[in-house]
Amino acid sequence: DQQVKQNSPSLSVQEGRISILNCDYTNSMFDYFLWYKKYPAEGPTFLISISSIKDKNEDGRFTVFLNKSAKHLSLHIVPSQPGDSAVYFCAASADSGGSNYKLTFGKGTLLTVNP
Amino acid sequence: ETGVTQSPTHLIKTRGQQVTLRCSSQSGHNTVSWYQQALGQGPQFIFQYYREEENGRGNFPPRFSGLQFPNYSSELNVNALELDDSALYLCASSLQAPPGSDTQYFGPGTRLTVL
């Protein structure tokens, strides 16, 4: 049962344009969402996060939007750069009384930014 | 401040053998989580340790076990290896904090191949 879904295995965009990566979740107990970027032969690198009490969080070129009613979040990268080419994972966690912060990941989306 | 490190980088074992993977957490972090990432999948939560005690477990059998030490290092042990255990094993450290600030920082992973 995939609780976090990234339905696009890959996305290709031109340098300078906007990249939009999407993520859907089914577990209504999730209250914290994160995006990680992963290069080959490296571990996932934390990118940006958002709490369920917000609907938007910005950090430089990266913005995450959360639509709780639709159980959907998206990551916008603008402008996209060739160095952004990587696999992007959406992850979610539920605060179960402060005792378990396990992350549930999607399968990832491979972003390719073409020069 | 040092990052999360893991050893070894690669490991080849045969079915039925036992393996120990090691992780050194980011300085000051009291929580370590282990994840298994199979090819083409997102990381899957194995278990989490908080202050040297198991703090939560995913859907993995008891032959997956762990330890966390006072110096922030930790181990993942897998007994009776099976072919399906071939994967990238990631550890992530974090500082248990109030909800909404659960950022886990990942190491580069250990690639385990079971023949």
Side-chain angles (χ1 to χ4, degrees):
Chain A
D1 176 29
Q2 194 88 26
Q3 296 187 63
V4 177
K5 298 178 186 178
Q6 294 177 256
N7 292 320
S8 298
S10 63
L11 175 68
S12 183
V13 300
Q14 283 299 119
E15 182 178 4
R17 306 294 288 265
I18 185 171
S19 296
I20 300 176
L21 297 103
N22 294 303
C23 178
D24 297 294
Y25 62 96
T26 57
N27 188 341
S28 57
M29 298 301 292
F30 288 146
D31 59 4
Y32 193 63
F33 304 89
L34 308 91
W35 285 93
Y36 283 85
K37 177 170 73 173
K38 187 178 185 303
Y39 294 117
E42 294 184 14
T45 302
F46 170 71
L47 203 54
I48 193 169
S49 61
I50 188 167
S51 164
S52 60
I53 62 173
K54 296 184 174 182
D55 55 17
K56 178 182 174 182
N57 189 26
E58 262 182 284
D59 184 2
R61 297 186 296 114
F62 303 92
T63 303
V64 56
F65 295 92
L66 175 62
N67 183 334
K68 280 180 60 180
S69 60
K71 293 191 176 68
H72 176 83
L73 63 154
S74 60
L75 174 67
H76 292 210
I77 307 173
V78 55
S80 302
Q81 299 173 354
D84 296 329
S85 298
V87 177
Y88 287 77
F89 289 101
C90 171
S93 71
D95 170 30
S96 47
S99 63
N100 187 349
Y101 287 88
K102 75 173 191 179
L103 295 179
T104 302
F105 283 84
K107 289 188 177 182
T109 297
L110 173 63
L111 173 66
T112 304
V113 180
N114 301 303
Chain B
E1 185 178 275
T2 59
V4 181
T5 58
Q6 291 186 244
S7 63
T9 307
H10 295 89
L11 202 50
I12 299 175
K13 292 284 189 178
T14 55
R15 199 169 41 179
Q17 284 190 309
Q18 179 266 342
V19 69
T20 297
L21 310 181
R22 294 183 172 82
C23 171
S24 181
S25 296
Q26 193 160 312
S27 180
H29 284 182
N30 56 17
T31 304
V32 65
S33 304
W34 285 90
Y35 293 81
Q36 179 196 67
Q37 186 180 9
L39 207 57
Q41 304 292 317
Q44 258 197 298
F45 176 74
I46 302 175
F47 44 55
Q48 181 181 88
Y49 277 78
Y50 171 62
R51 292 184 176 175
E52 303 167 52
E53 302 243 343
E54 189 176 293
N55 188 43
R57 191 176 184 92
N59 293 328
F60 282 82
R63 57 190 185 84
F64 285 79
S65 62
L67 283 171
Q68 186 187 26
F69 304 101
N71 66 352
Y72 308 122
S73 67
S74 63
E75 289 180 356
L76 165 65
N77 299 288
V78 187
N79 293 321
L81 283 167
E82 300 177 0
L83 297 179
D84 283 349
D85 296 334
S86 295
L88 180 68
Y89 288 86
L90 297 159
C91 79
S93 74
S94 58
L95 182 63
Q96 278 273 12
S101 55
D102 180 39
T103 300
Q104 297 187 17
Y105 296 92
F106 284 82
T110 294
R111 172 73 62 188
L112 172 65
T113 302
V114 182
L115 302 175

